[in-house]
Amino acid sequence: MTGQLFDDRAGPVSGTWGRTEAALDRLGSAIDRLEAAAARVGAGDLLLAGELRDARDQQAALQDTTRVVAQRLDATIDRLRTILEE
């Protein structure tokens, strides 16, 4: 029964999953842009430095988002366990 609660991705967890997937998509896009920039220009080019800074900023923001999502998922799992124990 517990596996079904987590596999359905229904209820409050579904919005969190969507935000997590969107965050991972943004991270992938940032990495793609960084790789494209590295292929276009030399290491000392200002464009590369700007894109690298932007990618690092996005990565830091996504780490924060991931931390918050993990905390929310842990809280939701704890609530579900409490409900199932009752």
Side-chain angles (χ1 to χ4, degrees):
M1 176 104 185
T2 303
Q4 182 181 7
L5 287 172
F6 298 115
D7 291 340
D8 287 344
R9 310 249 195 282
V13 178
S14 64
T16 303
W17 260 137
R19 287 190 300 270
T20 301
E21 288 177 0
L24 291 173
D25 288 343
R26 289 192 306 271
L27 177 59
S29 294
I31 290 170
D32 290 344
R33 287 194 312 275
L34 180 59
E35 289 173 345
R40 284 193 314 266
V41 296
D45 191 272
L46 291 176
L47 177 62
L48 177 62
E51 292 212 17
L52 179 59
R53 184 185 61 247
D54 291 346
R56 286 182 177 155
D57 290 346
Q58 283 186 346
Q59 190 268 340
L62 291 172
Q63 277 184 332
D64 290 341
T65 300
T66 300
R67 180 185 45 78
V68 169
V69 167
Q71 290 172 347
R72 288 180 179 174
L73 284 172
D74 287 343
T76 300
I77 290 168
D78 288 342
R79 284 193 303 268
L80 288 172
R81 284 184 180 145
T82 300
I83 291 169
L84 290 174
E85 288 172 0
E86 292 177 356

